Amino acid sequence: MKKQPKTILTDQDPWMSEAIAKEFPGTKHSFCIWHITSKFSGWFTVVLRDQYQTWCADFYELYHLETPQEFEDHWTQVITKYNLQSNKHVIGLYEIKHFWVPAYLRDYFFGGMTTTGRSESINAFIKRFISSHTNLEKFVKQVDLGIEDIQQKELHDTMLQKYRGSSLRTMSPLQEQAREVLTPFCFKKIQEEFGRATLYSLLHGDGHEFVVKYQKNVDSKKHKVFWDGEAATCGCKHFEFWGILCRHILSVFLHKDCYQIPFMYLPSHWCCDTYQSEEGSQMSDEILVDNLIDDVHCPPISKIKGRPKTKRLKGRREVAPKLKRSCGFCKNVGHNITTCPEKENIDCANNSQKKKKTASSSDMGLNPVFYVKY
């Protein structure tokens, strides 16, 4: 990358956090919420027991609050409700709130992402073309094949979009402009916001400041929107976080007869024209990669992590010479007590002596009651 990114999303790796803070001081770092909530069952199931499900529901509401002040007020109430003031995990979550609470992240563009699922899907896609036995030269070629596969799918989707077109839910010129400029993904998102914008009513306006409210719910939250004919901002900061206009600003546009979205609210990363112009640069980069493949060589084999198998220090028992087992009867080596030949000779002698003693007692002609029992 030619410049450091504006935002970056990772898991809670302490070494990664330290490296980002050192190398990218101007980058806003955020933690993946999935990696945080996946630990809740181990942290709070035993502590809360039957209240665990309600705790998750209250935490979900906390997570989706819009302003830092709302989060601070509700956080204290929820923690007191479940008596978790002294819980080390809760204290740790509060200390890193600027890394995972969306209320503190809405001023930065994340494309609406709060998890690392996008990068995980890219990893799964790359693994379709490479394996642990792929060397560096083959790796470059296989990644090039993966990029070509993505481009073919994108061209196919672009062709379908061109001939089929996108159905407009309303005949608004704002929506028609968005269809012509934005990518299919972004247009789908802004269509959803258009559909919800019609459900908001404009309560009052003071100069360039307006207050909009959801018309079906009396107790719904009010949102303040600023619109001076050129620039528009909203308290929910949906555009700053997503890069897509929110329903509140679109509602003001509809009520104030605005028939064209200002160009500043059509970011280049969501526009089709910018994407098509980038395709030419991507193709030129592929040509350069093809020319450089012949100069790419495999790096030297690195040492395997962990303890070496051949240079391990052996213990005293391993170093000591192994003793051969001897017979428990004759103490000779080469056989055991069950196969000892000396034992067989002694057993035969004992049997013959018993027979002689038995025969001599029977020949005496005594009553069997007086037989000597050996």
Side-chain angles (χ1 to χ4, degrees):
M1 302 176 66
K2 297 181 180 179
K3 58 181 180 180
Q4 65 181 19
K6 295 181 179 179
T7 55
I8 191 168
L9 186 64
T10 66
D11 56 5
Q12 292 178 269
D13 191 319
W15 303 110
M16 182 70 72
S17 301
E18 183 179 351
I20 292 172
K22 181 180 178 181
E23 300 296 334
F24 298 151
T27 300
K28 181 60 178 178
H29 185 200
S30 173
F31 289 152
C32 172
I33 188 61
W34 184 87
H35 285 89
I36 295 177
T37 55
S38 62
K39 305 173 186 177
F40 276 16
S41 59
W43 288 352
F44 303 113
T45 303
V46 179
V47 178
L48 299 176
R49 297 181 182 276
D50 297 338
Q51 295 180 324
Y52 176 72
Q53 297 297 333
T54 56
W55 152 258
C56 292
D58 291 341
F59 183 85
Y60 182 81
E61 294 181 359
L62 274 173
Y63 181 75
H64 286 86
L65 293 175
E66 294 181 354
T67 62
Q69 187 61 39
E70 291 178 346
F71 175 81
E72 295 292 341
D73 297 338
H74 288 76
W75 177 267
T76 305
Q77 297 175 6
V78 173
I79 299 305
T80 306
K81 175 181 176 182
Y82 296 97
N83 194 21
L84 296 174
Q85 296 89 337
S86 59
N87 188 279
K88 63 178 181 180
H89 302 297
V90 173
I91 295 173
L93 285 176
Y94 186 77
E95 290 177 353
I96 59 172
K97 60 184 178 181
H98 293 88
F99 289 88
W100 63 270
V101 180
Y104 295 96
L105 303 173
R106 294 187 185 276
D107 292 328
Y108 305 91
F109 174 73
F110 280 91
M113 292 187 295
T114 56
T115 66
T116 56
R118 191 63 180 265
S119 62
E120 297 296 339
S121 64
I122 294 175
N123 293 340
F125 176 80
I126 294 297
K127 288 180 180 178
R128 292 167 47 190
F129 299 90
I130 63 174
S131 65
S132 59
H133 302 286
T134 304
N135 57 28
L136 184 60
E137 181 181 358
K138 291 183 179 179
F139 172 80
V140 175
K141 294 180 179 180
Q142 292 299 109
V143 171
D144 192 23
L145 292 176
I147 295 174
E148 290 181 1
D149 184 69
I150 294 175
Q151 289 180 345
Q152 290 179 1
K153 291 182 179 179
E154 289 178 346
L155 290 174
H156 181 263
D157 294 340
T158 303
M159 181 186 65
L160 294 179
Q161 183 71 19
K162 180 179 179 181
Y163 288 100
R164 291 181 180 178
S166 300
S167 59
L168 296 176
R169 297 180 181 178
T170 62
M171 298 305 295
S172 171
L174 296 174
Q175 193 172 164
E176 186 176 358
Q177 178 192 7
R179 182 185 65 175
E180 296 176 355
V181 176
L182 301 177
T183 60
F185 172 81
C186 183
F187 176 68
K188 182 180 179 181
K189 292 294 182 181
I190 204 168
Q191 256 194 331
E192 296 175 358
E193 297 297 323
F194 265 114
R196 297 186 178 99
T198 57
L199 302 177
Y200 283 80
S201 59
L202 186 64
L203 298 182
H204 60 273
D206 184 9
H208 300 310
E209 294 183 357
F210 306 91
V211 178
V212 296
K213 183 181 178 181
Y214 188 63
Q215 60 182 359
K216 291 185 179 181
N217 191 354
V218 180
D219 300 330
S220 63
K221 182 180 178 180
K222 299 178 182 179
H223 292 83
K224 293 183 179 180
V225 178
F226 176 84
W227 166 243
D228 60 356
E230 295 182 358
T233 57
C234 180
C236 69
K237 297 183 180 180
H238 187 272
F239 178 77
E240 288 80 359
F241 187 75
W242 267 91
I244 299 174
L245 288 175
C246 64
R247 66 200 72 172
H248 314 120
I249 295 178
L250 293 175
S251 178
V252 174
F253 284 177
L254 295 176
H255 284 90
K256 291 299 177 180
D257 298 332
C258 177
Y259 301 109
Q260 188 175 9
I261 300 175
F263 182 75
M264 67 178 67
Y265 299 110
L266 300 173
S268 58
H269 46 261
W270 290 134
C271 294
C272 294
D273 295 338
T274 305
Y275 165 72
Q276 292 176 357
S277 63
E278 290 177 353
E279 282 188 343
S281 62
Q282 290 178 359
M283 295 298 292
S284 61
D285 292 340
E286 290 179 3
I287 296 174
L288 292 176
V289 170
D290 291 337
N291 295 333
L292 291 174
I293 283 179
D294 296 336
D295 299 333
V296 177
H297 302 283
C298 294
I301 299 176
S302 59
K303 295 182 179 180
I304 301 175
K305 295 182 179 179
R307 184 184 64 189
K309 295 182 179 180
T310 57
K311 298 182 180 180
R312 181 178 64 86
L313 296 177
K314 295 183 178 181
R316 186 178 61 182
R317 292 185 178 180
E318 294 176 318
V319 176
K322 294 183 179 180
L323 300 177
K324 296 182 179 181
R325 294 184 178 182
S326 59
C327 176
F329 185 80
C330 66
K331 307 303 180 182
N332 294 326
V333 181
H335 60 271
N336 53 24
I337 193 171
T338 57
T339 60
C340 180
E342 299 290 337
K343 184 181 177 182
E344 293 180 357
N345 297 332
I346 295 175
D347 290 341
C348 293
N350 292 336
N351 292 333
S352 61
Q353 290 178 1
K354 288 181 181 180
K355 290 181 180 179
K356 290 180 179 180
K357 291 181 181 180
T358 304
S360 60
S361 60
S362 61
D363 294 338
M364 295 174 65
L366 299 176
N367 193 321
V369 177
F370 300 102
Y371 285 171
V372 179
K373 297 181 181 179
Y374 294 92

